[in-house]
Amino acid sequence: MKQKDDFDWTIVLAPFNEKLPARKRTEVAIEQSELILRIATHIICHTIVERDELFQEERTAIAHAFLQRETSTHMCNHKLTTEGLVYHYNEQAFQLHEEYKTMTLTRSAYEHLAMFYFLYEHPKTEEERNAVWKYWKSNNRKNGSIEVIRVDGRLEVSQVPFSQAWKYLYRSNEMAMLYRHLSMHCHPVYSGLVQYQNQTLEDEGEDAIPLHLSSSFLAYMCKLFLKLIPQGEEILKHDFTPRDLSIFRALSILSREYLKNS
């Protein structure tokens, strides 16, 4: 996991590679989704069975709930991607070609990741962590992530729109349009519905892109969760191959530009 320069990024970036056949891009996205689901499930179950003392601390217990919800959301995304949607009319089945069908799930995975990041990773001191946690608990009906800033020597909490969270999650402009794209296909927005109506009837490989993004968000949260657990990285070392772990780490970063700067 530590040999950054030796990793072949084409493995993780394959679903975005338009030079590959559409079926191959989808197959790779599904394979990597299955790997991340195995890793996330392993972390969740190992923590429940072997590290149950961690649940005595509220923040760790809530972090585990975050990870379970992220995983279940991704499982739905995976199932919907692999099985598709079917209409039934006059006793006939019509496969619904809908490349945006999992966007809502992917957007939810992104928002959970963003909130998790601002609660557990972004605060750097105990004072900051306490301020964010207290604000989140008392204002949890408001939209957006939470950031702590210091003004005139004292801490203030401010909202960070989910549409801007990518600036903190990823050091890459490649992610700038991500949330807008996800939202466009989750709401009754004119441009989104035009794209929906005009989507190609041929599989161009786009069906698996939301799943691939969701895999990345789940992997990212797994990585952040393991940082909260003493000897967290040890949980995976004996049950997954070095290649598995390299893919896991790369998916949690997603952007090659981010990897170079990290």
Side-chain angles (χ1 to χ4, degrees), residues 133-233:
W133 190 261
K134 182 178 180 180
Y135 182 89
W136 180 63
K137 288 182 66 175
S138 60
N139 296 275
N140 60 12
R141 293 186 179 181
K142 296 183 179 179
N143 249 344
S145 304
I146 306 166
E147 181 186 22
V148 172
I149 57 176
R150 192 171 293 276
V151 179
D152 297 328
R154 63 187 185 85
L155 293 180
E156 291 188 3
V157 180
S158 63
Q159 292 280 342
V160 177
F162 286 125
S163 61
Q164 299 299 311
W166 66 269
K167 296 179 180 178
Y168 299 84
L169 293 168
Y170 303 96
R171 300 178 222 161
S172 171
N173 289 329
E174 296 171 4
M175 307 299 287
M177 302 300 293
L178 172 63
Y179 189 77
R180 179 180 177 185
H181 182 69
L182 294 177
S183 296
M184 182 172 65
H185 293 292
C186 297
H187 298 297
V189 178
Y190 172 77
S191 57
L193 289 168
V194 169
Q195 287 189 27
Y196 182 96
Q197 184 65 17
N198 295 331
Q199 64 184 315
T200 176
L201 294 179
E202 298 178 0
D203 183 6
E204 297 296 338
E206 298 296 331
D207 281 355
I209 294 300
L211 176 68
H212 194 58
L213 291 172
S214 182
S215 295
S216 173
F217 302 150
L218 176 56
Y220 199 161
M221 186 179 290
C222 285
K223 183 176 70 173
L224 295 179
F225 180 82
L226 289 176
K227 292 176 66 174
L228 302 175
I229 307 302
Q231 292 83 47
E233 290 189 1

